[in-house]
C-alpha cells in the first residue's frame, strides 16, 4: 500500500520531497530524478532551489512532452523543465532529458528514450502529479500497465485542463510523448503529489480504488515504494484517511518518505 501523507500546504509538501531528494543525492550524487511538469511539482522545485544543493551531477528524465509545438515554445515541456527545474536547481542542461529531445525522428523516439533511461541506471525517484482523468504522465484511461514511452492522444478533458497555459484551448496539442505506466513502475520510488479539491476523486480512485487501466494512477498500487502527499482538499475523499494520519504520526524514527 502507498504511504499517504497529509500536509497543510503545497509548500509543506515541497519541503518533504526536498528532504527526500536531498537525502538521495547525499548518498548518490549522480542520482536520476524523474521530473514532472504542470503546477503540482512547483513547490518541490522551489523548496529544492532554496537549499542550493550540489545537483550538478544529477540526471533527470521528464515524464512527457507535447508533440507538434514549435521548437522553443514556452509551453513545451522542454522549456518548462528548463525554466522551473534546470535553471533554479542548478542542474546540468545536458543531463536533463525530455522525450523526443534527441534530435531523432518522432517514430522510435519512445524506444530511444527508454534505452537512455536504462543506460542512466533507471530512475531513483519519480515525481508525479495526477490529472483529473486519473492520468499519471500523460497515460490516459485505458493505458496498459505494461506501456513504455510512446506517442499518445490527449483526452479532451486533459486538453481543457491544460488550456490555462495556452492562449486558446485549440492551441493545446492533440498528441504527446509520454513515459508509459510500465516505465513509471520501474522507478525505485514514486512520489505522487496532489493539491486541491479538483484532485480528490482521482486520488481516492488511484490510492483506494480497484487497480484498473481505467484509472491509470491506480498503477501505483503495484509498486512497493510509493509516497502519496496530499493537502486536505485533495485527500478529502480517501476512506482510510484516519489510518494514514495515524501511521504517519507514529512512524518510526528511521522511517522516511
Ligand atoms: C506532467 C504530467 C501530468 C501532470 C498532471 C497534473 O508532466 O505528467 O500527469 O502531472 O496533468 O497536472 P497539474 O500539476 O498541472 O495539475
Amino acid at each position: 500500500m502507498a504511504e499517504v501523507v497529509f500536509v497543510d500546504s503545497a509548500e509543506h509538501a515541497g519541503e518533504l520531497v526536498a528532504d527526500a531528494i536531498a537525502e538521495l543525492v547525499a548518498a548518490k550524487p549522480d542520482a536520476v530524478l524523474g521530473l514532472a511538469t504542470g503546477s503540482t511539482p512547483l513547490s518541490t522545485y522551489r523548496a529544492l532551489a532554496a537549499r542550493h544543493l550540489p545537483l550538478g551531477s544529477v540526471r533527470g528524465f521528464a515524464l512527457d512532452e507535447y508533440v507538434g509545438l514549435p521548437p522553443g515554445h514556452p509551453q513545451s515541456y522542454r522549456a518548462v523543465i528548463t525554466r522551473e527545474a534546470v535553471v533554479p536547481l542548478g542542474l546540468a542542461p545536458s543531463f536533463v532529458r525530455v522525450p523526443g529531445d534527441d534530435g531523432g525522428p518522432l517514430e522510435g523516439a519512445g524506444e530511444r528514450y527508454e534505452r537512455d533511461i536504462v543506460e542512466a541506471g533507471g530512475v531513483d525517484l519519480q515525481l508525479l502529479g495526477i490529472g483529473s482523468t486519473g492520468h499519471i504522465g500523460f497515460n490516459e484511461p485505458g493505458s496498459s500497465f505494461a506501456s513504455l514511452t510512446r506517442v499518445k492522444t490527449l483526452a479532451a478533458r486533459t486538453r481543457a485542463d491544460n488550456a490555462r497555459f495556452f492562449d486558446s484551448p485549440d492551441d493545446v496539442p492533440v498528441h504527446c510523448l509520454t513515459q508509459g505506466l510500465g516505465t513509471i513502475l520501474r522507478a525505485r520510488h514514486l512520489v505522487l503529489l496532489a493539491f486541491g479539491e479538483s484532485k480528490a476523486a482521482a486520488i481516492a480512485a488511484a490510492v483506494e480504488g480497484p487497480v484498473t487501466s481505467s484509472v491509470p494512477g491506480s498503477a501505483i498500487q503495484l509498486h512497493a515504494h510509493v509516497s502519496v502527499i496530499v493537502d486536505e482538499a485533495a485527500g478529502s475523499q480517501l476512506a482510510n484517511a484516519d489510518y494514514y494520519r495515524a501511521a504517519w504520526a507514529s512512524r518510526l524514527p528511521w522511517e522516511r518518505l
Side-chain angles (χ1 to χ4, degrees), residues 2-30:
E3 173 175 57
V4 180
V5 182
F6 280 82
V7 290
D8 50 18
S9 65
E11 284 62 40
H12 182 189
E15 295 297 337
L16 281 180
V17 184
D19 288 346
I21 293 175
E23 200 169 319
L24 169 66
V25 172
K28 185 178 180 186
D30 60 349

Side-chain angles (χ1 to χ4, degrees), residues 196-210:
E197 173 63 32
S198 65
K199 301 296 175 73
I203 280 291
V207 174
E208 295 179 335

Side-chain angles (χ1 to χ4, degrees), residues 148-167:
L148 300 177
T149 307
R150 69 228 184 278
V151 175
K152 284 290 284 183
T153 304
L154 292 169
R157 187 158 162 201
T158 299
R159 293 185 67 225
D161 286 347
N162 288 4
R164 68 189 191 282
F165 295 115
F166 291 83
D167 292 337

